[in-house]
mmCIF file with all atom_site columns, all heavy atoms in Angstrom:
data_model
loop_
_atom_site.group_PDB
_atom_site.id
_atom_site.type_symbol
_atom_site.label_atom_id
_atom_site.label_alt_id
_atom_site.label_comp_id
_atom_site.label_asym_id
_atom_site.label_entity_id
_atom_site.label_seq_id
_atom_site.pdbx_PDB_ins_code
_atom_site.Cartn_x
_atom_site.Cartn_y
_atom_site.Cartn_z
_atom_site.occupancy
_atom_site.B_iso_or_equiv
_atom_site.pdbx_formal_charge
_atom_site.auth_seq_id
_atom_site.auth_comp_id
_atom_site.auth_asym_id
_atom_site.auth_atom_id
_atom_site.pdbx_PDB_model_num
ATOM 1   N N   . ALA Q 1 126 ? -4.294 3.573   11.807 1.00 95.00 ? 126 ALA Q N   1
ATOM 2   C CA  . ALA Q 1 126 ? -4.781 2.955   10.575 1.00 95.00 ? 126 ALA Q CA  1
ATOM 3   C C   . ALA Q 1 126 ? -3.964 3.397   9.371  1.00 95.00 ? 126 ALA Q C   1
ATOM 4   O O   . ALA Q 1 126 ? -3.677 2.596   8.467  1.00 95.00 ? 126 ALA Q O   1
ATOM 5   C CB  . ALA Q 1 126 ? -6.248 3.290   10.354 1.00 95.00 ? 126 ALA Q CB  1
ATOM 6   N N   . MET Q 1 127 ? -3.546 4.654   9.363  1.00 95.00 ? 127 MET Q N   1
ATOM 7   C CA  . MET Q 1 127 ? -2.757 5.139   8.241  1.00 95.00 ? 127 MET Q CA  1
ATOM 8   C C   . MET Q 1 127 ? -1.274 4.816   8.390  1.00 95.00 ? 127 MET Q C   1
ATOM 9   O O   . MET Q 1 127 ? -0.538 4.825   7.409  1.00 95.00 ? 127 MET Q O   1
ATOM 10  C CB  . MET Q 1 127 ? -2.979 6.631   8.037  1.00 95.00 ? 127 MET Q CB  1
ATOM 11  C CG  . MET Q 1 127 ? -4.368 6.949   7.494  1.00 95.00 ? 127 MET Q CG  1
ATOM 12  S SD  . MET Q 1 127 ? -4.697 6.215   5.849  1.00 95.00 ? 127 MET Q SD  1
ATOM 13  C CE  . MET Q 1 127 ? -5.682 4.758   6.288  1.00 95.00 ? 127 MET Q CE  1
ATOM 14  N N   . ALA Q 1 128 ? -0.822 4.504   9.598  1.00 93.00 ? 128 ALA Q N   1
ATOM 15  C CA  . ALA Q 1 128 ? 0.521  3.943   9.741  1.00 93.00 ? 128 ALA Q CA  1
ATOM 16  C C   . ALA Q 1 128 ? 0.567  2.573   9.066  1.00 93.00 ? 128 ALA Q C   1
ATOM 17  O O   . ALA Q 1 128 ? 1.609  2.138   8.583  1.00 93.00 ? 128 ALA Q O   1
ATOM 18  C CB  . ALA Q 1 128 ? 0.907  3.827   11.211 1.00 93.00 ? 128 ALA Q CB  1
ATOM 19  N N   . VAL Q 1 129 ? -0.565 1.910   9.036  1.00 93.00 ? 129 VAL Q N   1
ATOM 20  C CA  . VAL Q 1 129 ? -0.726 0.672   8.264  1.00 93.00 ? 129 VAL Q CA  1
ATOM 21  C C   . VAL Q 1 129 ? -0.981 1.028   6.799  1.00 93.00 ? 129 VAL Q C   1
ATOM 22  O O   . VAL Q 1 129 ? -0.237 0.645   5.905  1.00 93.00 ? 129 VAL Q O   1
ATOM 23  C CB  . VAL Q 1 129 ? -1.877 -0.176  8.822  1.00 93.00 ? 129 VAL Q CB  1
ATOM 24  C CG1 . VAL Q 1 129 ? -2.096 -1.419  7.958  1.00 93.00 ? 129 VAL Q CG1 1
ATOM 25  C CG2 . VAL Q 1 129 ? -1.644 -0.553  10.266 1.00 93.00 ? 129 VAL Q CG2 1
ATOM 26  N N   . GLY Q 1 130 ? -2.071 1.776   6.557  1.00 93.00 ? 130 GLY Q N   1
ATOM 27  C CA  . GLY Q 1 130 ? -2.369 2.312   5.241  1.00 93.00 ? 130 GLY Q CA  1
ATOM 28  C C   . GLY Q 1 130 ? -2.539 1.270   4.155  1.00 93.00 ? 130 GLY Q C   1
ATOM 29  O O   . GLY Q 1 130 ? -2.645 0.064   4.408  1.00 93.00 ? 130 GLY Q O   1
ATOM 30  N N   . THR Q 1 131 ? -2.579 1.748   2.918  1.00 92.00 ? 131 THR Q N   1
ATOM 31  C CA  . THR Q 1 131 ? -2.713 0.847   1.784  1.00 92.00 ? 131 THR Q CA  1
ATOM 32  C C   . THR Q 1 131 ? -1.536 -0.109  1.694  1.00 92.00 ? 131 THR Q C   1
ATOM 33  O O   . THR Q 1 131 ? -1.694 -1.280  1.325  1.00 92.00 ? 131 THR Q O   1
ATOM 34  C CB  . THR Q 1 131 ? -2.853 1.649   0.481  1.00 92.00 ? 131 THR Q CB  1
ATOM 35  O OG1 . THR Q 1 131 ? -4.124 2.315   0.483  1.00 92.00 ? 131 THR Q OG1 1
ATOM 36  C CG2 . THR Q 1 131 ? -2.768 0.760   -0.738 1.00 92.00 ? 131 THR Q CG2 1
ATOM 37  N N   . ALA Q 1 132 ? -0.342 0.367   2.055  1.00 90.00 ? 132 ALA Q N   1
ATOM 38  C CA  . ALA Q 1 132 ? 0.831  -0.506  2.012  1.00 90.00 ? 132 ALA Q CA  1
ATOM 39  C C   . ALA Q 1 132 ? 0.659  -1.687  2.963  1.00 90.00 ? 132 ALA Q C   1
ATOM 40  O O   . ALA Q 1 132 ? 0.900  -2.842  2.594  1.00 90.00 ? 132 ALA Q O   1
ATOM 41  C CB  . ALA Q 1 132 ? 2.089  0.286   2.367  1.00 90.00 ? 132 ALA Q CB  1
ATOM 42  N N   . GLY Q 1 133 ? 0.242  -1.413  4.193  1.00 92.00 ? 133 GLY Q N   1
ATOM 43  C CA  . GLY Q 1 133 ? 0.064  -2.486  5.169  1.00 92.00 ? 133 GLY Q CA  1
ATOM 44  C C   . GLY Q 1 133 ? -1.106 -3.388  4.834  1.00 92.00 ? 133 GLY Q C   1
ATOM 45  O O   . GLY Q 1 133 ? -1.046 -4.615  5.037  1.00 92.00 ? 133 GLY Q O   1
ATOM 46  N N   . TYR Q 1 134 ? -2.174 -2.790  4.332  1.00 94.00 ? 134 TYR Q N   1
ATOM 47  C CA  . TYR Q 1 134 ? -3.340 -3.563  3.901  1.00 94.00 ? 134 TYR Q CA  1
ATOM 48  C C   . TYR Q 1 134 ? -2.952 -4.484  2.739  1.00 94.00 ? 134 TYR Q C   1
ATOM 49  O O   . TYR Q 1 134 ? -3.340 -5.663  2.688  1.00 94.00 ? 134 TYR Q O   1
ATOM 50  C CB  . TYR Q 1 134 ? -4.445 -2.573  3.536  1.00 94.00 ? 134 TYR Q CB  1
ATOM 51  C CG  . TYR Q 1 134 ? -5.445 -2.972  2.502  1.00 94.00 ? 134 TYR Q CG  1
ATOM 52  C CD1 . TYR Q 1 134 ? -6.380 -3.972  2.729  1.00 94.00 ? 134 TYR Q CD1 1
ATOM 53  C CD2 . TYR Q 1 134 ? -5.497 -2.294  1.286  1.00 94.00 ? 134 TYR Q CD2 1
ATOM 54  C CE1 . TYR Q 1 134 ? -7.325 -4.303  1.769  1.00 94.00 ? 134 TYR Q CE1 1
ATOM 55  C CE2 . TYR Q 1 134 ? -6.435 -2.609  0.324  1.00 94.00 ? 134 TYR Q CE2 1
ATOM 56  C CZ  . TYR Q 1 134 ? -7.341 -3.617  0.553  1.00 94.00 ? 134 TYR Q CZ  1
ATOM 57  O OH  . TYR Q 1 134 ? -8.265 -3.934  -0.395 1.00 94.00 ? 134 TYR Q OH  1
ATOM 58  N N   . THR Q 1 135 ? -2.129 -3.982  1.814  1.00 96.00 ? 135 THR Q N   1
ATOM 59  C CA  . THR Q 1 135 ? -1.633 -4.802  0.713  1.00 96.00 ? 135 THR Q CA  1
ATOM 60  C C   . THR Q 1 135 ? -0.740 -5.922  1.235  1.00 96.00 ? 135 THR Q C   1
ATOM 61  O O   . THR Q 1 135 ? -0.803 -7.066  0.764  1.00 96.00 ? 135 THR Q O   1
ATOM 62  C CB  . THR Q 1 135 ? -0.859 -3.937  -0.296 1.00 96.00 ? 135 THR Q CB  1
ATOM 63  O OG1 . THR Q 1 135 ? -1.721 -2.898  -0.778 1.00 96.00 ? 135 THR Q OG1 1
ATOM 64  C CG2 . THR Q 1 135 ? -0.362 -4.765  -1.464 1.00 96.00 ? 135 THR Q CG2 1
ATOM 65  N N   . ALA Q 1 136 ? 0.104  -5.592  2.204  1.00 97.00 ? 136 ALA Q N   1
ATOM 66  C CA  . ALA Q 1 136 ? 0.964  -6.617  2.810  1.00 97.00 ? 136 ALA Q CA  1
ATOM 67  C C   . ALA Q 1 136 ? 0.122  -7.716  3.443  1.00 97.00 ? 136 ALA Q C   1
ATOM 68  O O   . ALA Q 1 136 ? 0.428  -8.912  3.296  1.00 97.00 ? 136 ALA Q O   1
ATOM 69  C CB  . ALA Q 1 136 ? 1.883  -5.978  3.847  1.00 97.00 ? 136 ALA Q CB  1
ATOM 70  N N   . MET Q 1 137 ? -0.956 -7.349  4.134  1.00 97.00 ? 137 MET Q N   1
ATOM 71  C CA  . MET Q 1 137 ? -1.812 -8.355  4.756  1.00 97.00 ? 137 MET Q CA  1
ATOM 72  C C   . MET Q 1 137 ? -2.532 -9.188  3.706  1.00 97.00 ? 137 MET Q C   1
ATOM 73  O O   . MET Q 1 137 ? -2.656 -10.418 3.857  1.00 97.00 ? 137 MET Q O   1
ATOM 74  C CB  . MET Q 1 137 ? -2.818 -7.699  5.701  1.00 97.00 ? 137 MET Q CB  1
ATOM 75  C CG  . MET Q 1 137 ? -3.738 -8.698  6.412  1.00 97.00 ? 137 MET Q CG  1
ATOM 76  S SD  . MET Q 1 137 ? -2.848 -9.996  7.328  1.00 97.00 ? 137 MET Q SD  1
ATOM 77  C CE  . MET Q 1 137 ? -2.437 -9.102  8.834  1.00 97.00 ? 137 MET Q CE  1
ATOM 78  N N   . LEU Q 1 138 ? -2.999 -8.580  2.634  1.00 98.00 ? 138 LEU Q N   1
ATOM 79  C CA  . LEU Q 1 138 ? -3.599 -9.355  1.546  1.00 98.00 ? 138 LEU Q CA  1
ATOM 80  C C   . LEU Q 1 138 ? -2.599 -10.368 1.007  1.00 98.00 ? 138 LEU Q C   1
ATOM 81  O O   . LEU Q 1 138 ? -2.960 -11.507 0.669  1.00 98.00 ? 138 LEU Q O   1
ATOM 82  C CB  . LEU Q 1 138 ? -4.057 -8.434  0.414  1.00 98.00 ? 138 LEU Q CB  1
ATOM 83  C CG  . LEU Q 1 138 ? -5.255 -7.525  0.675  1.00 98.00 ? 138 LEU Q CG  1
ATOM 84  C CD1 . LEU Q 1 138 ? -5.495 -6.618  -0.540 1.00 98.00 ? 138 LEU Q CD1 1
ATOM 85  C CD2 . LEU Q 1 138 ? -6.514 -8.326  0.979  1.00 98.00 ? 138 LEU Q CD2 1
ATOM 86  N N   . SER Q 1 139 ? -1.334 -9.977  0.931  1.00 98.00 ? 139 SER Q N   1
ATOM 87  C CA  . SER Q 1 139 ? -0.294 -10.874 0.435  1.00 98.00 ? 139 SER Q CA  1
ATOM 88  C C   . SER Q 1 139 ? -0.059 -12.033 1.402  1.00 98.00 ? 139 SER Q C   1
ATOM 89  O O   . SER Q 1 139 ? 0.079  -13.194 0.977  1.00 98.00 ? 139 SER Q O   1
ATOM 90  C CB  . SER Q 1 139 ? 1.007  -10.091 0.220  1.00 98.00 ? 139 SER Q CB  1
ATOM 91  O OG  . SER Q 1 139 ? 0.832  -9.030  -0.695 1.00 98.00 ? 139 SER Q OG  1
ATOM 92  N N   . VAL Q 1 140 ? 0.002  -11.740 2.687  1.00 98.00 ? 140 VAL Q N   1
ATOM 93  C CA  . VAL Q 1 140 ? 0.175  -12.788 3.697  1.00 98.00 ? 140 VAL Q CA  1
ATOM 94  C C   . VAL Q 1 140 ? -0.993 -13.771 3.635  1.00 98.00 ? 140 VAL Q C   1
ATOM 95  O O   . VAL Q 1 140 ? -0.799 -14.996 3.666  1.00 98.00 ? 140 VAL Q O   1
ATOM 96  C CB  . VAL Q 1 140 ? 0.285  -12.170 5.103  1.00 98.00 ? 140 VAL Q CB  1
ATOM 97  C CG1 . VAL Q 1 140 ? 0.247  -13.254 6.180  1.00 98.00 ? 140 VAL Q CG1 1
ATOM 98  C CG2 . VAL Q 1 140 ? 1.571  -11.360 5.228  1.00 98.00 ? 140 VAL Q CG2 1
ATOM 99  N N   . MET Q 1 141 ? -2.209 -13.245 3.530  1.00 98.00 ? 141 MET Q N   1
ATOM 100 C CA  . MET Q 1 141 ? -3.385 -14.106 3.461  1.00 98.00 ? 141 MET Q CA  1
ATOM 101 C C   . MET Q 1 141 ? -3.353 -15.002 2.230  1.00 98.00 ? 141 MET Q C   1
ATOM 102 O O   . MET Q 1 141 ? -3.754 -16.177 2.275  1.00 98.00 ? 141 MET Q O   1
ATOM 103 C CB  . MET Q 1 141 ? -4.650 -13.241 3.480  1.00 98.00 ? 141 MET Q CB  1
ATOM 104 C CG  . MET Q 1 141 ? -4.906 -12.560 4.828  1.00 98.00 ? 141 MET Q CG  1
ATOM 105 S SD  . MET Q 1 141 ? -6.066 -11.150 4.744  1.00 98.00 ? 141 MET Q SD  1
ATOM 106 C CE  . MET Q 1 141 ? -7.503 -11.885 3.961  1.00 98.00 ? 141 MET Q CE  1
ATOM 107 N N   . ALA Q 1 142 ? -2.855 -14.463 1.108  1.00 98.00 ? 142 ALA Q N   1
ATOM 108 C CA  . ALA Q 1 142 ? -2.753 -15.272 -0.113 1.00 98.00 ? 142 ALA Q CA  1
ATOM 109 C C   . ALA Q 1 142 ? -1.760 -16.408 0.072  1.00 98.00 ? 142 ALA Q C   1
ATOM 110 O O   . ALA Q 1 142 ? -2.010 -17.547 -0.365 1.00 98.00 ? 142 ALA Q O   1
ATOM 111 C CB  . ALA Q 1 142 ? -2.343 -14.382 -1.288 1.00 98.00 ? 142 ALA Q CB  1
#
Side-chain angles (χ1 to χ4, degrees):
M127 289 298 100
V129 176
T131 291
Y134 151 69
T135 302
M137 181 55 81
L138 290 176
S139 301
V140 171
M141 290 162 54

